Amino acid sequence: MADCARKGRTRDSMDKSITLPPDEIFRNLENAKRFAIDIGGSLTKLAYYSTVQHKVAKVRSFDHTAKETEGDPLYEISVQEEITARLHFIKFENTYIETCLDFIKDHLVNTETKVIKATGGGAYKFKELIEKKLRLKVDKEDEMTCLIKGCNFVLRNIPHEAFVYAKHADSEFRFQNTHPDIFPYLLINIGSGVSIVKVESEDKFERIGGSSIGGGTFWGLGALLTKTKRFDELLQLASRGQHSSVDMLVKDIYGGAYSSLGLTGDLIASSFGKSATTDKEFSKEDMAKSLLHMISNDIGQLACLYARLHNLSRVYFGGFFIRGHPVTMHTITYSINFFTKGEVQALFLRHEGYLGAIGAFLKGAEEDSPVGPCFRSPCPCAALAYVVMF
Ligand code: ADP
């Protein structure tokens, strides 16, 4: 897959809303208020559609043979109105599910809305609450199907969605171009827990593994260790910490590298390994950093093992644990490179946490499409489907 390096372009500045492909069918929904919700173990994610009208300056230049005379320029600027379809995203901690439902009621539900597309465990757990509060019927969609549908969609349609993270390179983010040929790939979704999914085609995928040591573990253990319950604060602490004061490194055991095994002295031999024997207080920063390393390394190694086992060379990471955080992405990338000697590529996604919500949104759009959903499997119009569905 071709890629392009973009200097000075940060991942965070770009993960807001998606501009949907401009297609005939979008006009059918110009004024519709369409949305879907993905309620996981920690966070509630909302994807909603709107059209944005804006002015664009169009420049028309004249034939270069034309002669410029005073007051008669060689180009003409006109301002035109353009309507763009956009998909917006917002997330709430599950504790604030009622606030999320208020947002939906105040901004997204109109008199024509009869159902709400919902995925994730919360579509079951909060069904009654949602139906009572919004006076809508909950239309549940399978979590894995939505996750993969959302992932395939962004990989195919959203420019610069996937990127390689290279901490020490000239450009930290190497964005990939969209490509119709995306299969096979491995998706590691790091939410509260971890799901490992092998994706072979549009509708052929299998959850081949998982782990309970994921984002919920970082959040939970981090809160216990640092008394900080806010996830963003935990990440900030981790950014300032030094893991080597908490972790036992190879050099703490060998006095240097274990060269014959190719293990450098700075490699972590035992996460948190120094804490039992060192007689001092550890800073919140150092503990948060060590924890972030421990979990990211563990997932990196799992990713590499599953990729090898299934002969896959591309691994995408989704889920809100990553949050585009440099330490997390570097640790995962380092771990995969280390164990596979560069044979497996780690790729991150700008809309990492919203894949399920995007998939559920697409499901709803498919069903409302004037052409109706395609029930043939494999869908012969898959490429067209995503465009036609809106
Ligand atoms: P789930 O669907 O299980 O809720 P997500 O993909 O939404 O999974 O990821 C949830 C994880 O994301 C949390 O366990 C936590 O590690 C991380 N996270 C990222 N941002 C936040 C936040 N603002 N508040 C809480 N957790 C967050």
Side-chain angles (χ1 to χ4, degrees), residues 38-63:
D38 171 12
I39 315 174
S42 308
L43 301 175
T44 298
K45 284 79 61 178
L46 190 58
Y48 62 97
Y49 172 95
S50 81
T51 49
V52 181
Q53 195 162 359
H54 52 102
K55 289 188 166 61
V56 259
K58 299 256 170 176
V59 180
R60 188 167 79 94
S61 54
F62 298 119
D63 192 314

Side-chain angles (χ1 to χ4, degrees), residues 40-43 45 91 93 191-192 215-216 219 231 319-321 323:
S42 308
L43 301 175
K45 284 79 61 178
K91 70 172 183 321
E93 282 181 20
S192 309
W219 197 16
F231 184 85
F320 249 120
F321 165 68
R323 284 294 294 275

Side-chain angles (χ1 to χ4, degrees), residues 210-281:
S211 168
S212 64
I213 299 172
T217 318
F218 177 70
W219 197 16
L221 263 184
L224 287 175
L225 288 169
T226 66
K227 309 283 174 256
T228 306
K229 291 219 167 177
R230 295 195 53 239
F231 184 85
D232 287 353
E233 229 170 281
L234 275 173
L235 283 186
Q236 281 162 16
L237 286 174
S239 302
R240 298 194 297 268
Q242 288 297 330
H243 75 101
S244 52
S245 53
V246 182
D247 291 342
M248 190 183 285
L249 309 182
V250 168
K251 69 182 172 202
D252 294 320
I253 305 170
Y254 277 79
Y258 185 174
S259 307
S260 59
L261 285 192
L263 306 177
T264 64
D266 286 329
L267 216 61
I268 303 170
S270 169
S271 293
F272 287 90
K274 275 188 194 146
S275 16
T277 49
T278 311
D279 214 9
K280 66 165 193 168
E281 287 280 305

Side-chain angles (χ1 to χ4, degrees), residues 18-48:
I18 285 179
T19 300
L20 295 168
D23 204 83
E24 186 66 16
I25 208 76
F26 286 119
R27 286 185 214 134
N28 294 321
L29 297 177
E30 238 163 54
N31 300 310
K33 293 197 169 183
R34 182 173 306 281
F35 59 95
I37 190 167
D38 171 12
I39 315 174
S42 308
L43 301 175
T44 298
K45 284 79 61 178
L46 190 58
Y48 62 97

